[in-house]
Amino acid sequence: MNIAVIGTGYVGLVSGTCFAEMGNDVICVDNDKNKLEKLNSNHITIYEPGLEVIYSRNFKNGRLRFTDDLKAAALSSDMIFLCLPTPQDEDGSADLSHVMNITGKLGDILCQIDDFKLIINKSTAPVGTGEKIFGILTAKGIKNFAVASNPEFLREGFAVEDFMKPDRIVIGSDSDKALKMLRDLYEPFVALGNSIIEMDIRSAEVTKYAANSFLATKITFMNDLANFCEKAEADIDLVRLGMGSDTRIGHKFLFPGIGYGGSCFPKDVNALIKTSVDFDAKLVLLAEVDRINQEQRARFFIKIYNHFNGELKGKKLAVWGLAFKPDTDDMREAPSVTVIKRLVSEGVSISAYDPVASENARFYLDDTIIYSPDKYSALDGADALVIFTEWGEFRKPDFTVLKSKLNSPLIFDGRNMYEVKEMQKLGFSYYSIGRKTTKGNN
Ligand SMILES: NC(=O)c1ccc[n+]([C@@H]2O[C@H](COP(=O)([O-])OP(=O)(O)OC[C@H]3O[C@@H](n4cnc5c(N)ncnc54)[C@H](O)[C@@H]3O)[C@@H](O)[C@H]2O)c1
């Protein structure tokens, strides 16, 4: 099939690359000249495990191309995927300007031809967006087209794996032809038997928000419970194991931490709340989820603040992990940024190490912190280590090196990386989430 993918970010680049890997001819469109220059010279623009190899293979064999020429891409493709940003607007709603702007341009292009085109929205967009796209294209005089919603469920850090072997594919359209085209496209991706779920376009749009909001709620429930466990002198990790073993609950997404972040959960939760208010059916539980999630970052800061009796000025902290989660370089809505900015405003100097996100972190934190080349050099002369991201390489550090480099054996762990008993034995003062705090020799 000939496919155009408009927007070549995390979703667009992964989708385009994986479609090409399955034998389709894919042309990816973007308006970022820098990005296109890199992609057209065989340089990948995002960090995503496994992506570089298949991007490079398909780029070299010509099945994956990159351009800023929307017209040429649209005219040469049967299916046009919109993978455009839908960031949070000031009132919490999803900003649809990118999607609507491109839809208008597609309207101007496609009204000149009679060939059938299927426009598929993969951007996360509120219920009713598909109908708006349909309305704009109809108003431009286009007759031979259909619109579909195909929400994307990939997880950053596992994007290729998720795209190539998805749990499920959701396709929503009121057109049988559109549903058939999407079924044909996706069949090779569900060869192991996972399902392609067909529905109307409005239900598909709601499904994406419902899935993300439910996962955000699960995380938030555990964070709230973790705070209760701290007061009640219970251990959240034991509680997690006990409750997760119930097959109705399951073990996934029960890990407490410093709150969810990233480019999706925060904005999608807020957009769903806003849409529910617009429909006069406010999702009150979700409003609490968002509030508790913000508070979780502040609680972590307060742990550090209280340990130093509020005297943070002049302190030096080492930071491990900046990305909002491991295996990604995405810094959007990373909890680390909120807490670090607060620490810096209190006069703390920070030396941070992240395996891949430091370059992107500069956009949010600029030169207010030092970016260390490796995890151990970040520790030199620091008063404590603060962990924001559970990267694999932080799981089994050499604690004797930590002790020798830190001014005192003190760790604030926002991801419960280590066993409390072990840290006690090693003589660390160790703060984590929802568990006992140990007091070392500092
Ligand atoms: N990132 C994720 O994990 C993820 C997962 C599922 C769904 N989504 C949703 O997918 C959508 C895209 O997310 P993303 O993370 O890929 O965003 P992104 O910011 O990484 O990528 C968007 C791309 O669109 C390009 N773009 C913007 N305006 C354009 C225009 N007018 N013409 C051409 N290109 C343009 C940008 O340059 C960028 O490369 C969002 O709605 C998001 O909520 C994201």
Side-chain angles (χ1 to χ4, degrees), residues 3 10 26 33 47 90 109 115 149 161 186 196 226 255 257 264 266 288 297 331 366 381 386 390 412 425 430-431:
I3 296 172
Y10 283 87
V26 180
K33 297 249 186 262
Y47 175 78
E90 274 165 19
I109 295 163
D115 305 347
S149 163
E161 193 184 323
Y186 277 118
I196 296 176
F255 292 85
C264 293
E288 266 308 279
R297 299 172 185 198
M331 284 295 300
D366 212 342
V386 183
E390 66 275 36
F412 298 93
K425 221 164 73 192
Y430 179 60
Y431 291 81

Side-chain angles (χ1 to χ4, degrees), residues 176-238:
D176 288 341
K177 184 170 179 173
L179 291 172
K180 170 153 187 355
M181 285 173 79
L182 284 164
R183 244 185 350 255
D184 288 348
L185 174 69
Y186 277 118
E187 247 152 27
F189 293 90
V190 290
L192 292 177
N194 290 347
S195 50
I196 296 176
I197 305 169
E198 296 179 16
M199 56 183 80
D200 63 276
I201 199 160
R202 292 179 80 87
S203 301
E205 289 166 339
V206 174
T207 300
K208 172 64 192 174
Y209 281 103
N212 273 4
S213 298
F214 184 76
L215 293 173
T217 303
K218 228 175 152 183
I219 293 171
T220 304
F221 177 83
M222 291 310 286
N223 286 338
D224 212 16
L225 198 67
N227 296 319
F228 167 71
C229 283
E230 279 177 23
K231 300 268 188 225
E233 295 179 20
D235 184 320
I236 189 69
D237 275 344
L238 299 176

Side-chain angles (χ1 to χ4, degrees), residues 318 320 374-382 384-385 396-411 418 423 426 428:
W320 281 4
D374 65 85
K375 65 175 183 274
Y376 290 125
S377 62
L379 302 169
D380 287 326
L385 166 65
K396 295 274 174 205
D398 185 336
F399 285 108
T400 50
V401 176
L402 257 78
K403 269 187 152 175
S404 70
K405 286 183 170 269
L406 290 171
N407 286 342
S408 61
L410 171 60
I411 299 177
Y418 313 122
M423 299 314 287
L426 290 168
F428 277 87

Side-chain angles (χ1 to χ4, degrees), residues 264-278:
C264 293
F265 285 6
K267 81 169 173 65
D268 292 349
V269 164
N270 279 311
L272 185 55
I273 296 168
K274 176 66 173 63
T275 312
S276 72
V277 170
D278 293 345

Side-chain angles (χ1 to χ4, degrees), residues 5 16 28 58 62 67 143 172 175 180 191 202 226 243 255 270 274 314 332 344 349 353 357 376 390 419 435 441:
V5 173
C28 293
N58 287 283
T67 183
K143 293 190 180 66
S175 151
K180 170 153 187 355
R202 292 179 80 87
M243 60 189 279
F255 292 85
N270 279 311
K274 176 66 173 63
R332 290 176 284 187
V344 169
S349 62
Y353 166 71
Y376 290 125
E390 66 275 36
E419 290 297 329
R435 306 186 300 178
N441 321 314

Side-chain angles (χ1 to χ4, degrees), residues 65-106:
R65 290 170 298 139
F66 300 92
T67 183
D68 61 354
D69 189 341
L70 179 67
K71 184 172 180 181
L75 291 179
S76 65
S77 305
D78 314 307
M79 306 173 97
I80 302 169
F81 281 86
L82 307 182
C83 301
L84 293 156
T86 49
Q88 186 171 319
D89 222 335
E90 274 165 19
D91 63 355
S93 63
D95 171 0
L96 292 179
S97 56
H98 299 279
V99 173
M100 294 308 156
N101 172 20
I102 286 292
T103 304
K105 287 184 180 167
L106 284 174

Side-chain angles (χ1 to χ4, degrees), residues 18 44 75 80 122 228 246-247 263 272 292 302 331 357 373 381 398 423:
C18 294
I44 193 96
L75 291 179
I80 302 169
K122 223 181 211 320
F228 167 71
D246 183 329
T247 51
S263 66
L272 185 55
I292 294 168
I302 285 165
M331 284 295 300
D398 185 336
M423 299 314 287

